[in-house]
Amino acid sequence: MSARILRLAVTVHTAVAFGQPAFAGAYLSGDIGGLDWHARGADVTFSLGIVQAVIGVVAARRSRRWWPAVASVLILIAESGQYAAGLAGALWLHIPLGVALLAGLTVLCVTVWTRPLPRAHRDGTDG
Protein backbone atom coordinates (compact mmCIF):
# COMPACT_ATOMS: atom_id res chain seq x y z
CA MET A 1 0.00 0.00 0.00
CA SER A 2 2.77 2.48 0.87
CA ALA A 3 4.38 1.93 -2.56
CA ARG A 4 1.15 2.97 -4.29
CA ILE A 5 0.82 6.04 -2.10
CA LEU A 6 4.46 6.98 -2.77
CA ARG A 7 3.92 6.63 -6.51
CA LEU A 8 0.81 8.80 -6.31
CA ALA A 9 2.59 11.47 -4.24
CA VAL A 10 5.60 11.63 -6.55
CA THR A 11 3.42 11.72 -9.67
CA VAL A 12 1.18 14.52 -8.40
CA HIS A 13 4.17 16.49 -7.10
CA THR A 14 5.93 16.18 -10.46
CA ALA A 15 2.84 17.15 -12.46
CA VAL A 16 2.19 20.24 -10.32
CA ALA A 17 5.86 21.28 -10.48
CA PHE A 18 5.69 21.24 -14.28
CA GLY A 19 3.04 23.96 -14.12
CA GLN A 20 5.49 26.39 -12.56
CA PRO A 21 7.46 27.25 -15.72
CA ALA A 22 4.19 27.84 -17.58
CA PHE A 23 3.03 30.33 -14.94
CA ALA A 24 6.41 32.07 -14.96
CA GLY A 25 6.33 32.15 -18.75
CA ALA A 26 2.89 33.76 -18.72
CA TYR A 27 4.23 36.49 -16.44
CA LEU A 28 7.32 37.01 -18.59
CA SER A 29 5.03 37.29 -21.63
CA GLY A 30 3.27 40.25 -20.04
CA ASP A 31 0.43 38.64 -18.09
CA ILE A 32 0.87 40.14 -14.62
CA GLY A 33 -1.49 37.49 -13.19
CA GLY A 34 1.06 34.85 -14.12
CA LEU A 35 3.24 35.93 -11.21
CA ASP A 36 0.37 35.36 -8.78
CA TRP A 37 -0.25 31.91 -10.27
CA HIS A 38 3.47 31.17 -10.01
CA ALA A 39 3.49 32.18 -6.32
CA ARG A 40 0.42 30.08 -5.55
CA GLY A 41 1.90 27.19 -7.50
CA ALA A 42 5.07 27.48 -5.43
CA ASP A 43 3.03 27.12 -2.24
CA VAL A 44 1.25 24.03 -3.58
CA THR A 45 4.43 22.49 -5.00
CA PHE A 46 6.35 23.02 -1.76
CA SER A 47 3.47 21.57 0.29
CA LEU A 48 3.41 18.52 -1.95
CA GLY A 49 7.16 18.21 -1.45
CA ILE A 50 6.64 18.02 2.31
CA VAL A 51 3.91 15.40 1.87
CA GLN A 52 6.10 13.39 -0.50
CA ALA A 53 9.04 13.48 1.92
CA VAL A 54 6.88 12.22 4.79
CA ILE A 55 5.43 9.44 2.63
CA GLY A 56 8.93 8.59 1.39
CA VAL A 57 10.21 8.21 4.96
CA VAL A 58 7.22 6.05 5.96
CA ALA A 59 7.62 3.88 2.85
CA ALA A 60 11.35 3.54 3.48
CA ARG A 61 10.83 2.60 7.11
CA ARG A 62 8.35 -0.10 6.15
CA SER A 63 10.36 -1.49 3.24
CA ARG A 64 13.86 -0.87 4.63
CA ARG A 65 14.87 0.62 1.31
CA TRP A 66 15.94 4.21 1.96
CA TRP A 67 16.38 5.58 -1.55
CA PRO A 68 12.78 6.92 -1.82
CA ALA A 69 13.17 8.82 1.45
CA VAL A 70 16.63 10.16 0.63
CA ALA A 71 15.55 11.31 -2.84
CA SER A 72 12.36 12.92 -1.49
CA VAL A 73 14.17 14.75 1.32
CA LEU A 74 16.88 15.99 -1.05
CA ILE A 75 14.21 17.31 -3.39
CA LEU A 76 12.50 19.03 -0.46
CA ILE A 77 15.79 20.68 0.55
CA ALA A 78 16.31 21.88 -3.01
CA GLU A 79 12.72 23.17 -3.11
CA SER A 80 13.37 25.12 0.08
CA GLY A 81 16.27 26.84 -1.65
CA GLN A 82 14.15 27.35 -4.75
CA TYR A 83 11.37 28.95 -2.69
CA ALA A 84 13.81 31.24 -0.88
CA ALA A 85 15.56 32.23 -4.13
CA GLY A 86 12.21 33.09 -5.70
CA LEU A 87 11.15 35.24 -2.75
CA ALA A 88 14.53 37.01 -2.83
CA GLY A 89 14.30 37.60 -6.58
CA ALA A 90 17.58 35.74 -7.12
CA LEU A 91 16.75 34.61 -10.64
CA TRP A 92 20.39 33.59 -11.23
CA LEU A 93 19.70 30.73 -8.76
CA HIS A 94 15.92 30.35 -9.07
CA ILE A 95 15.84 29.48 -12.77
CA PRO A 96 18.64 26.87 -12.95
CA LEU A 97 17.54 25.31 -9.66
CA GLY A 98 14.01 25.05 -11.05
CA VAL A 99 15.33 23.25 -14.12
CA ALA A 100 17.34 20.88 -11.91
CA LEU A 101 14.30 20.21 -9.70
CA LEU A 102 12.13 19.34 -12.69
CA ALA A 103 14.83 16.97 -13.94
CA GLY A 104 15.18 15.37 -10.50
CA LEU A 105 11.44 14.98 -10.05
CA THR A 106 11.14 13.46 -13.51
CA VAL A 107 13.88 10.92 -12.79
CA LEU A 108 12.31 10.07 -9.42
CA CYS A 109 8.85 9.72 -10.98
CA VAL A 110 10.14 7.38 -13.69
CA THR A 111 12.12 5.44 -11.08
CA VAL A 112 9.21 4.84 -8.70
CA TRP A 113 7.11 3.57 -11.61
CA THR A 114 9.77 1.36 -13.21
CA ARG A 115 11.75 0.09 -10.24
CA PRO A 116 9.96 -2.37 -7.99
CA LEU A 117 9.15 -0.97 -4.58
CA PRO A 118 9.29 -3.75 -2.01
CA ARG A 119 6.44 -4.56 0.28
CA ALA A 120 6.68 -4.01 4.01
CA HIS A 121 8.67 -6.59 5.94
CA ARG A 122 6.56 -9.02 7.94
CA ASP A 123 8.76 -9.31 11.02
CA GLY A 124 6.42 -7.42 13.31
CA THR A 125 8.26 -4.08 12.99
CA ASP A 126 6.45 -2.60 10.01
CA GLY A 127 4.18 -0.56 12.24
Side-chain angles (χ1 to χ4, degrees), residues 26-113:
Y27 170 68
L28 293 172
S29 296
D31 180 3
I32 194 71
L35 187 58
D36 186 48
W37 278 99
H38 188 67
R40 289 174 193 230
D43 293 338
V44 172
T45 302
F46 185 71
S47 298
L48 289 170
I50 293 168
V51 169
Q52 177 185 312
V54 169
I55 292 169
V57 169
V58 170
R61 184 181 175 285
R62 290 178 174 227
S63 70
R64 296 186 184 162
R65 297 264 174 99
W66 288 96
W67 67 264
V70 171
S72 295
V73 169
L74 288 174
I75 286 172
L76 181 60
I77 291 168
E79 281 183 337
S80 298
Q82 173 73 349
Y83 199 95
L87 289 175
L91 297 181
W92 61 271
L93 177 60
H94 188 69
I95 293 171
L97 187 52
V99 172
L101 276 165
L102 287 176
L105 280 166
T106 300
V107 168
L108 182 59
C109 191
V110 168
T111 303
V112 298
W113 281 100

Side-chain angles (χ1 to χ4, degrees), residues 7-32:
R7 285 181 175 136
L8 176 65
V10 171
T11 303
V12 170
H13 186 198
T14 302
V16 170
F18 266 93
Q20 287 300 92
F23 299 144
Y27 170 68
L28 293 172
S29 296
D31 180 3
I32 194 71

